Amino acid sequence: MDILLIGEFSRLHNSLKEGLEALGHRVVILGFNDGFKNYPVDYPIVRKWNSAFLRKFKYGFHRMTGFNINSYFTYRQFQKYQNELTGFDVVQLINENPFYCGYDYEKKILEFLFKNNKKAFLLCCSTDYLTVKYEFEHPEKKSIIQPYLVGKISKKDFFNVLKFRKKEYKKLHDFIYQNIVGIIASDIDYDIPMQGDAKYLGIIPNPINISKIASVALPPLDKIVIFHGINTENYYKKGNDYFEKALEIIQKKYGDKVEIITTRSVPYAEYIESYNRAHILLDMAYSFDQGFNALEAMAKGKVVFTGAEKEFEAFYNLTQKVNINAKPDVDYLVAELSYLIENPTEITAIGARARAFVEKEHDYIESAKKYLNTWNL
């Protein structure tokens, strides 16, 4: 079968591609490399006019004329590839705005893909119309809108979320919805907003290529190493402010009994190497379930602070911790970190269960089989 995956920003589509190829299918990825993360794609689209001066010019030009230069250049790049993007058995979009264009150009691109390929599916693994709508209707639930609602993120910096509340993106959602067979969620965070939707097909857990991730032997437990990788663009969305405050307290409390490693916006390959020496990794404070960074660290046997709410535990029938449920609460984070530092055998035990959990529930080939069954190929 021939499968076209549109978009990449967490390595999800790359891991899925590896699983599908292992099963004998032809797979290509079209999209951006996601900036500094530099994920591989077969047909890359490059963001143009992205220096500080040119960004100001294009935004000003857009305000004055209504013409979106970014969308135009993206569409032109897509046109160069379009003859090679036809005849696929399945097209899967990574979200509802995978080309980051305004409505007109995004629709032009998607219309071509829908008309010239057999089936289309939408993967719900990030922000889109339905998830953003749900999160604003349920502000009490953990989600990335919580830091925005308390004023930590400006409207400008939160545009990639807020845009899905605009009429043109509701229109885009409706257009996509009419042309897809169904919607697949990657984890509990996206399963919850989809409940009851007529086209929702259920969760397929994130595919992790265990064969590429060796379980790293933990360093001696006489000094606990804590890793905190920061993506500056998503600083507040991830709850990094809470993690940093908690780490300040932990450093003062335990001194040379701990070592704290912090990185900021490093490429993906460098990021995953940076935490090999760590026992504990701080990932995300506003989620119910784990994303790719957390799962890959768990596969290395790390104790990861991430989403692990009761809904996640119930879905996988867990009776023991495979990670630590992170919350946007400094005192809570300090208490959880302190317990691990003072009870280091728990680090070994949770890390071993984390690796076993990823092997059992997130194997990339088993995940690829679930996609094939859902696509009915």
Side-chain angles (χ1 to χ4, degrees):
M1 295 293 180
D2 292 338
I3 298 154
L4 174 59
L5 304 176
I6 306 293
E8 179 65 295
F9 53 78
S10 66
R11 208 184 180 278
L12 194 164
H13 269 169
N14 269 275
S15 291
L16 177 56
K17 176 183 176 179
E18 289 159 4
L20 291 166
E21 287 180 334
L23 295 170
H25 300 278
R26 185 177 80 92
V27 187
V28 296
I29 301 175
L30 165 70
F32 298 90
N33 299 98
D34 201 24
F36 69 86
K37 297 175 191 173
N38 198 28
Y39 297 117
V41 295
D42 300 294
Y43 295 109
I45 295 177
V46 179
R47 293 195 192 213
K48 302 199 177 228
W49 291 38
N50 228 24
S51 70
F53 171 76
L54 290 174
R55 274 203 308 271
K56 285 182 182 178
F57 173 80
K58 68 186 178 185
Y59 292 146
F61 189 75
H62 184 227
R63 280 196 300 270
M64 288 187 295
T65 66
F67 183 76
N68 190 318
I69 297 172
N70 259 2
S71 295
Y72 171 73
F73 279 127
T74 296
Y75 179 64
R76 287 295 301 275
Q77 290 178 75
F78 171 79
Q79 285 183 306
K80 293 178 184 177
Y81 299 132
Q82 66 182 25
N83 290 339
E84 299 175 62
L85 302 174
T86 64
F88 286 86
D89 298 291
V90 164
V91 173
Q92 179 166 277
L93 311 180
I94 205 159
N95 65 13
E96 290 184 337
N97 191 206
F99 296 98
Y100 302 102
C101 295
Y103 173 78
D104 291 331
Y105 281 111
E106 193 83 16
K107 185 185 176 188
K108 278 185 182 182
I109 295 171
L110 295 176
E111 200 164 33
F112 177 90
L113 293 171
F114 293 150
K115 283 182 177 179
N116 290 282
N117 297 286
K118 293 179 184 176
K119 291 182 182 178
F121 293 81
L122 173 65
L123 184 55
C124 184
C125 65
S126 63
T127 51
D128 57 26
Y129 172 76
L130 289 175
T131 56
V132 172
K133 179 176 182 289
Y134 179 88
E135 287 164 358
F136 273 95
E137 289 173 351
H138 299 85
E140 76 285 356
K141 291 186 178 289
K142 278 170 89 175
S143 79
I144 59 170
I145 71 155
Q146 289 186 326
Y148 168 75
L149 292 174
V150 296
K152 290 183 178 180
I153 308 174
S154 69
K155 285 186 177 181
K156 179 183 174 184
D157 291 335
F158 212 54
F159 172 75
N160 279 338
V161 176
L162 295 177
K163 69 184 180 184
F164 290 106
R165 306 190 82 196
K166 293 178 176 290
K167 288 181 181 177
E168 69 173 304
Y169 288 94
K170 169 62 166 66
K171 211 161 96 173
L172 183 61
H173 161 78
D174 292 340
F175 169 71
I176 292 170
Y177 197 87
Q178 289 162 11
N179 284 278
I180 57 171
V181 175
I183 304 170
I184 299 165
S186 63
D187 64 49
I188 300 294
D189 289 276
Y190 309 108
D191 170 73
I192 294 171
M194 292 296 119
Q195 290 299 315
D197 187 271
K199 288 199 173 182
Y200 181 49
L201 302 172
I203 292 179
I204 300 180
N206 282 305
I208 302 296
N209 189 342
I210 291 289
S211 67
K212 288 192 169 186
I213 306 173
S215 182
V216 179
L218 291 177
L221 290 163
D222 51 346
K223 176 178 278 194
I224 305 303
V225 182
I226 305 169
F227 177 83
H228 184 204
I230 298 171
N231 175 350
T232 52
E233 288 185 9
N234 291 329
Y235 181 82
Y236 290 107
K237 288 182 191 176
K238 296 281 189 179
N240 287 304
D241 50 332
Y242 292 100
F243 287 139
E244 287 206 299
K245 287 173 185 173
L247 288 175
E248 286 177 15
I249 295 169
I250 289 294
Q251 186 71 78
K252 289 177 183 175
K253 184 176 180 181
Y254 292 102
D256 60 8
K257 290 183 180 179
V258 298
E259 178 185 351
I260 295 167
I261 302 170
T262 301
T263 63
R264 294 181 185 273
S265 299
V266 297
Y268 168 77
E270 183 180 338
Y271 173 85
I272 61 173
E273 289 300 318
S274 299
Y275 61 73
N276 277 344
R277 289 198 305 111
H279 302 93
I280 298 168
L281 182 141
L282 307 182
D283 174 59
M284 172 68 163
Y286 289 108
S287 63
F288 281 71
D289 199 342
Q290 302 94 59
F292 249 76
N293 285 349
L295 289 168
E296 290 189 328
M298 288 167 63
K300 286 189 174 186
K302 310 303 180 186
V303 177
V304 182
F305 280 62
T306 183
E309 292 289 338
K310 63 182 185 297
E311 291 87 348
F312 156 74
E313 294 178 335
F315 181 79
Y316 290 105
N317 297 309
L318 296 173
T319 57
Q320 293 181 297
K321 288 182 178 180
V322 297
N323 48 31
I324 304 297
N325 185 34
K327 299 178 183 179
D329 180 326
V330 173
D331 292 340
Y332 167 84
L333 294 171
V334 169
E336 291 291 327
L337 285 165
S338 297
Y339 177 79
L340 292 171
I341 293 164
E342 293 168 16
N343 298 274
T345 56
E346 275 296 294
I347 294 174
T348 305
I350 295 172
R353 291 196 294 268
R355 171 75 182 192
F357 169 77
V358 176
E359 288 177 344
K360 179 174 183 280
E361 304 291 355
H362 291 275
D363 178 76
Y364 73 119
I365 292 177
E366 291 305 312
S367 179
K369 289 177 183 176
K370 291 175 182 176
Y371 273 97
L372 291 170
N373 287 337
T374 303
W375 296 333
N376 293 316
L377 296 184

